[in-house]
Amino acid sequence: MARRASDPIVIPDELWERPQMTQALTSRDIGTVFHLLRQYAGATQTQIAIACTLTQGRVSEHMKPGGRRVTELDVFERIADGLQMPDAARMALGLAPRTHPGVPAPRTPEPQARTGVVRTDPRPTRAASSDPMDISRLTRWLTASDTADETIESLARSTTSLASAHTQVPAKSLLSQVLRLHRRTQDLLEGSRPRPRHTRELLRIDADLLAHAAVIFGDVNLDHHAEQYAAAALMLAREAGTNEAFAWYAQAKTARWQDRLIEAADFARQGYEASPHTPMKTQLAWYEANAAALLGDQTRARQAVKRAEQTAETIHDSPTDRSVWSFPTERRALFALAVATRTGDPDGALQAAEMADTAWAAGAPVAPAVWAQIRVGTGVAHLLKGDLEGTAEQLAQLLTLDPGMRLATVTRYVADLDRRLSHPHYRDTSLALQLRAQIRDFNAAALTDDTDLERS
């Protein structure tokens, strides 16, 4: 019987153990992986494309000599899942194993063959019999799906991986990957027929992706996009009936950097009230405090600080958890420093900076943008104490920051320092003039070596 393009690929177990395959996986040479599948499993490009949810043209590009290489984590996950790679192959490819020692492997349902038959309306209808509901129709409607559990799990893992990469990967490069994963999730929502629980999970994943994208849009000074994406994230989170805190945080952050301070404080408070008992709840309280302090409402700022401190007493962030949504000691220190400088407490600001530096000295991972904001805030605190030399020392450290990590949240802090240095007290001071020139050069080089968004 002739093989059809829709037939599943039958991959011999020993293929994954071949040295050629191991070498290809280790070097992440997906083109060679596909060639080996064709050679030893008789797989066609179309079969590979269907299994890995790629286009046949994309598979062909990978298989050409010197052809297109895979670089995106979500695509590696999709290929590994589609080919049902064993854990040894997944780890050779640089991915986490699907199972852990001592835990039985999950049962994988057999894939349903696609057919050319036009489906009728899957919604449950009244049966012609005396039964109040045709249970078989209901069951078929609930279980019929074009989307597999494994696809959802892969999307969820990739979404988490991108959130974890937030503090270490240049913003524009990360944004392009977040947007690609959002488009893939959206395609599944709009172009497939997911089960109800799959729909809820896809909505949740996309809400997190849109909130993450909104945060990055703000980081690269695209506040209008940030505002739109944050609003959409909140809408999807509500539709999914899931945690709204990330979307509220994205809205509060966007409003704060647009100087819509009352809205920023209100968004943060709404997020605080909606947030489960996680580190994000503490962060939202600090965000309200920061916006209120910038607004000059010291009473509200103090009340929000009190809420933040009370919440932090019962919530402990994992020291190994570093993502766009985590709130480790260094970020708490940053917010405390910002509120202290805005409320005229330079000594409190310096104490907060010391808390962050102590955490880093003890081995906490360094998030470059947070480190940079701590340096600027410390420089402002020294300036409030009349110590221009102390400010210069902090700025000298800041100048080493890679241009790709000079986010808008950093350059705006630096611009605030520049504004303070323009005060008549420092205007004609040679050191102040030198520092202002350094600030102009620092901000002019921001993000210049990062990926062009137009190419994403």
Side-chain angles (χ1 to χ4, degrees):
M1 182 177 178
R3 174 176 293 183
R4 297 175 301 176
S6 59
D7 288 343
I9 304 171
V10 179
I11 304 176
D13 291 340
E14 58 269 20
L15 175 56
W16 300 114
E17 300 172 4
R18 284 183 169 272
Q20 292 169 281
M21 179 63 80
T22 301
Q23 182 178 354
L25 292 170
T26 303
S27 60
R28 289 191 155 184
D29 183 357
I30 295 300
T32 298
V33 171
F34 289 166
H35 276 290
L36 293 171
L37 287 172
R38 184 171 64 182
Q39 181 178 355
Y40 293 102
T44 66
Q45 291 184 359
T46 300
Q47 286 178 302
I48 294 171
I50 291 173
C52 301
T53 62
L54 300 171
T55 64
Q56 185 273 330
R58 180 81 174 268
V59 173
S60 176
E61 289 176 9
H62 291 313
M63 295 180 70
K64 289 177 181 177
R68 180 173 180 175
R69 292 188 65 88
V70 174
T71 58
E72 302 89 351
L73 176 62
D74 67 297
V75 178
F76 285 120
E77 289 278 7
R78 197 188 322 167
I79 292 170
D81 291 344
L83 298 177
Q84 298 184 28
M85 288 185 187
D87 282 349
R90 290 179 64 88
M91 289 188 287
L93 190 57
L95 303 176
R98 296 297 303 275
T99 59
H100 299 281
V103 180
R107 292 178 61 84
T108 305
E110 290 295 324
Q112 296 181 350
R114 294 179 179 269
T115 69
V117 176
V118 177
R119 295 186 177 93
T120 57
D121 187 349
R123 291 173 297 181
T125 59
R126 291 283 182 179
S129 67
S130 58
D131 291 340
M133 179 70 73
D134 185 338
I135 300 302
S136 64
R137 282 180 176 271
L138 175 62
T139 302
R140 286 198 301 272
W141 174 69
L142 285 172
T143 58
S145 175
D146 292 336
T147 307
D149 287 336
E150 291 79 3
T151 301
I152 307 291
E153 291 167 6
S154 175
L155 285 171
R157 286 195 301 272
S158 296
T159 300
T160 300
S161 295
L162 290 172
S164 298
H166 181 84
T167 61
Q168 302 299 324
V169 177
K172 291 182 181 178
S173 175
L174 185 63
L175 178 59
S176 66
Q177 296 182 63
V178 171
L179 293 179
R180 275 196 293 270
L181 199 60
H182 153 63
R183 286 192 289 270
R184 185 178 167 211
T185 305
Q186 192 174 47
D187 286 345
L188 287 172
L189 280 166
E190 296 178 350
S192 66
R193 188 176 60 180
R195 297 169 67 171
R197 63 183 175 86
H198 286 164
T199 298
R200 288 192 298 273
E201 185 64 5
L202 286 169
L203 288 170
R204 182 198 67 77
I205 290 170
D206 210 25
D208 289 355
L209 288 168
L210 290 176
H212 191 182
V215 171
I216 307 175
F217 274 125
D219 287 342
V220 299
N221 217 14
L222 293 172
D223 290 333
H224 178 66
H225 288 75
E227 188 176 357
Q228 290 182 320
Y229 274 66
L234 181 60
M235 181 175 64
L236 289 183
R238 285 177 168 173
E239 191 69 21
T242 190
N243 180 13
E244 300 174 9
F246 298 164
W248 283 115
Y249 168 78
Q251 288 200 331
K253 178 178 182 291
T254 302
R256 180 259 181 271
W257 289 113
Q258 290 179 325
D259 292 324
R260 297 185 287 120
L261 300 175
I262 293 178
E263 289 180 77
D266 288 344
F267 286 149
R269 182 59 184 273
Q270 290 178 81
Y272 174 86
E273 299 296 342
S275 176
H277 213 58
T278 65
M280 178 55 73
K281 193 176 187 72
T282 306
Q283 182 164 197
L284 285 161
W286 272 113
Y287 226 101
E288 180 188 2
N290 186 35
L294 287 165
L295 189 63
D297 188 345
Q298 296 196 18
T299 299
R300 182 173 184 176
R302 284 193 294 268
Q303 292 173 343
V305 167
K306 184 176 180 180
R307 278 194 296 276
E309 292 174 342
Q310 290 173 340
T311 304
E313 290 176 359
T314 58
I315 298 175
H316 300 287
D317 207 359
S318 169
T320 60
D321 179 19
R322 289 294 186 274
S323 82
V324 63
W325 313 123
S326 61
F327 197 52
T329 299
E330 315 86 77
R331 281 191 59 77
R332 292 200 297 273
L334 174 60
F335 277 92
L337 188 159
V339 172
T341 55
R342 291 296 177 180
T343 54
D345 181 13
D347 290 329
L350 292 175
Q351 288 175 4
E354 184 178 357
M355 181 170 67
D357 288 334
T358 299
W360 285 320
V366 177
V370 175
W371 173 85
Q373 290 173 81
I374 290 288
R375 300 280 67 82
V376 180
T378 307
V380 171
H382 281 296
L383 199 63
L384 291 173
K385 293 174 71 70
D387 180 10
L388 192 57
E389 293 287 344
T391 301
E393 181 180 343
Q394 296 299 316
L395 189 58
Q397 297 180 57
L398 179 69
L399 296 177
T400 64
L401 184 66
D402 184 271
M405 289 296 183
R406 297 178 191 182
L407 310 181
T409 46
V410 174
T411 57
R412 287 163 174 172
Y413 264 75
V414 177
D416 177 63
L417 175 58
D418 181 63
R419 181 185 60 79
R420 292 173 183 270
L421 287 168
S422 69
H423 190 277
H425 183 72
Y426 303 107
R427 185 175 297 161
D428 298 323
T429 305
S430 59
L431 179 56
L433 293 173
Q434 178 185 342
L435 295 180
R436 296 193 69 193
Q438 291 175 339
I439 287 172
R440 285 193 297 273
D441 292 341
F442 177 90
N443 280 358
L447 301 176
T448 53
D449 68 345
D450 210 346
T451 304
D452 185 353
L453 279 177
E454 295 301 320
R455 295 165 54 192
S456 65

